[in-house]
Amino acid sequence: MAALRRMLHLPSLVAGVCLPFAGSLAGSSLADRCLWDRLHSQPCLGSVPTFDWFFGYEEVQGLLLPLLQEARSACPLRVLDVGCGTSSLCTGLYTKSPHPVDVLGVDFSFVAVAHMNSLLEGGQGQTPLRPGHPASCLRFMQADALNLEAMASSGSFQLLLDKGTWDAVARGGLPKAYQLLSECLRVLSPQGTLIQFSDEDPDVRLPCLEQGSCGWTVTVQELGPFRGITYFAYLIQGSH
C-alpha cells in the first residue's frame, strides 16, 4: 500500500504512463471509477503499452508458472485477474505461458478495458498478441470485482490474481475489501489459488485474510525487492 501511495505522488512519468495529475490522486478515493478512467486515459504508449503498479509479469512468472503446472488437470486452466487495469499480468500469462490458459481480465474502468482489448487485437500500431500455447485465450471485460455474478459462476476459476486491488478497495474501508475477498473466493475453485500481491506488511494483511478466508489455507511469500521495495504474495488456497 505504501508503494501505491508513493507512486501516486510521482510528478510526471511512472513506468510508461504519464501522470500529469498524480499529485491530486493521493487525496482521492482509489475506489472511484472516474479517477481510474482519468489515469488510464493517459498512456504513453511508445514501446511500453502496459502499466504496472508494483511490478509486472516478468517479476512473478517464477511463482505463477509452477502453479499452472500443478493445476494442469484443468485444461485450459482458467485464470481471473480482478482489477487488471492495464497491467502486463494477463498479457504475460497469455503470451508466455507454455501451459494452456484461459485468461480473463476484469476492471471497472471502461478506458482500461478498451485499451487492453485494443492491445490484444493489435490496435494503435501494435502487433496483435500471440498465445504462448495454441489452446490459450485472453479476454478483457468491464466488471465490478465486488460483484461478478453476471460473468462468473461459483468455483469457475482455478487461479485468481489481485495485484493491488485489495489495497485500492481497502482505502474505502475494510468492509468493501472483505466483500472483494468473498467474491473472489466464491468464483475460485475449491482446489484453486487466489494470490494477492501487495507491499502491505504481513502483520497487517494476514489477520485480515485469515478472518475472511475460513476453511482456506493462507500463506505468504516475500517478493523482491523490486526497485528498492519489498513486496508480498499472499496465497489463499483450497485443498490440493
Side-chain angles (χ1 to χ4, degrees), residues 73 77 91 105 149 151 160 165 171 174-175 185 193 198 203 226 239:
S73 57
L77 182 97
T91 56
E149 289 280 355
M151 46 73 60
L160 261 74
T165 303
R171 284 286 293 271
L174 278 178
L185 294 179
T193 299
S198 177
D203 288 346
F226 304 130
S239 57

Side-chain angles (χ1 to χ4, degrees), residues 50-233:
T50 57
F51 167 69
D52 286 289
W53 299 112
F54 305 159
F55 46 77
Y57 171 77
E58 298 290 342
E59 286 83 358
V60 293
Q61 63 179 336
L63 171 64
L64 297 178
L65 291 181
L67 289 173
L68 300 180
Q69 174 69 28
E70 292 172 8
R72 289 182 66 186
S73 57
C75 188
L77 182 97
R78 298 199 69 202
V79 182
L80 176 63
D81 183 359
V82 292
C84 64
T86 57
S87 164
S88 65
L89 276 187
C90 288
T91 56
L93 278 172
Y94 173 65
T95 61
K96 297 180 180 179
S97 170
H99 313 297
V101 288
D102 178 357
V103 184
L104 173 60
V106 300
D107 200 281
F108 70 175
S109 168
F110 172 81
V111 176
V113 170
H115 173 74
M116 294 308 288
N117 277 320
S118 176
L119 176 62
L120 173 62
E121 297 164 4
Q124 303 180 46
Q126 301 290 328
T127 302
L129 300 183
R130 295 289 180 258
H133 188 284
S136 291
C137 58
L138 173 61
R139 296 167 294 144
F140 294 97
M141 296 177 60
Q142 184 181 18
D144 185 346
L146 276 64
N147 183 6
L148 299 169
E149 289 280 355
M151 46 73 60
S153 58
S154 298
S156 55
F157 291 90
Q158 288 76 46
L159 178 62
L160 261 74
L161 305 175
D162 169 343
K163 184 156 69 74
T165 303
W166 166 287
D167 301 77
V169 172
R171 284 286 293 271
L174 278 178
K176 290 289 187 182
Y178 280 122
Q179 183 180 346
L180 168 68
L181 176 60
S182 175
E183 186 66 349
C184 287
L185 294 179
R186 181 188 68 80
V187 303
L188 183 63
S189 162
Q191 294 78 40
T193 299
L194 163 63
I195 308 178
Q196 289 187 354
F197 295 108
S198 177
D199 71 329
E200 187 168 58
D201 192 275
D203 288 346
V204 177
R205 180 66 62 91
L206 280 177
C208 293
L209 296 182
E210 289 168 347
Q211 178 179 333
S213 307
C214 294
W216 299 79
T217 300
V218 182
T219 58
V220 60
Q221 295 185 28
E222 187 173 304
L223 303 173
F226 304 130
R227 295 183 293 277
I229 301 174
T230 297
Y231 297 93
F232 302 95

Side-chain angles (χ1 to χ4, degrees), residues 18-72:
C18 292
L19 299 175
F21 49 85
S24 66
L25 290 179
S28 303
S29 168
L30 296 183
D32 181 354
R33 185 185 317 230
C34 293
L35 180 150
W36 292 106
D37 281 342
R38 289 172 61 207
L39 174 63
H40 293 307
S41 68
Q42 299 293 322
C44 298
L45 290 178
S47 60
V48 187
T50 57
F51 167 69
D52 286 289
W53 299 112
F54 305 159
F55 46 77
Y57 171 77
E58 298 290 342
E59 286 83 358
V60 293
Q61 63 179 336
L63 171 64
L64 297 178
L65 291 181
L67 289 173
L68 300 180
Q69 174 69 28
E70 292 172 8
R72 289 182 66 186

